[in-house]
Amino acid sequence: MLIENNDILNSGDVVDYEAIISEKFPNYDIEVITPDIFEIGALVEYITDDIVVYKPFSVMVYRHLIRFMMNVGHRGKIYYLDGFSDDDLEIVHGGLLKFTWRRDVKISLFKNADPDRDVLGLK
């Protein structure tokens, strides 16, 4: 059982973003990625490879949450980049913009957004 969202964020405990995001977006594959999994260049390549596979019509980037927007009835994908520095996030965002340049995928970049509050509804 999940603790109330406010209690999770204020307790200092590790937040189970995968469970929270899965509850909010049940039709999405969720992947929480931490800095120790990929070096930053490989992370950009990994996400852009999934853009080729999933073929989203739009990608919403809320600082460290990346959401593939899919046609109705298709399963989407959400990445949550947990523990990355602002510099790392800039590289990821720049890589996504560069990769999708002149493609049919629209990138919407909300650089200063707080996905915990704006997207997930956490305080």
Side-chain angles (χ1 to χ4, degrees):
M1 177 176 133
L2 283 177
I3 305 168
E4 285 297 316
N5 293 339
N6 289 340
D7 295 338
I8 292 172
L9 291 177
N10 294 327
S11 69
D13 292 337
V14 174
V15 178
D16 186 356
Y17 284 109
E18 188 170 351
I20 294 166
I21 296 168
S22 292
E23 187 176 307
K24 181 108 175 149
F25 299 99
N27 293 327
Y28 283 77
D29 295 324
I30 313 300
E31 194 163 346
V32 176
I33 299 176
T34 56
D36 57 334
I37 296 174
F38 291 105
E39 66 178 278
I40 204 71
L43 174 60
V44 172
E45 187 175 321
Y46 181 72
I47 295 172
T48 55
D49 283 351
D50 263 2
I51 290 174
V52 172
V53 171
Y54 278 80
K55 298 182 179 127
F57 64 84
S58 179
V59 178
M60 309 291 283
V61 181
Y62 296 90
R63 200 160 166 261
H64 50 273
L65 185 141
I66 299 168
R67 179 180 175 197
F68 291 10
M69 301 297 289
M70 310 299 292
N71 291 320
V72 175
H74 290 85
R75 193 159 179 86
K77 176 95 179 207
I78 292 178
Y79 291 98
Y80 193 90
L81 308 180
D82 189 18
F84 285 84
S85 71
D86 286 341
D87 289 341
D88 289 342
L89 294 173
E90 289 282 333
I91 293 168
V92 172
H93 299 169
L96 291 173
L97 290 169
K98 183 178 177 182
F99 174 79
T100 56
W101 179 252
R102 295 185 185 232
R103 293 183 185 253
D104 289 339
V105 179
K106 177 186 171 202
I107 295 274
S108 296
L109 180 60
F110 302 93
K111 246 179 162 172
N112 297 320
D114 179 355
D116 292 344
R117 187 187 72 236
D118 299 341
V119 180
L120 303 179
L122 305 175
K123 302 273 184 219

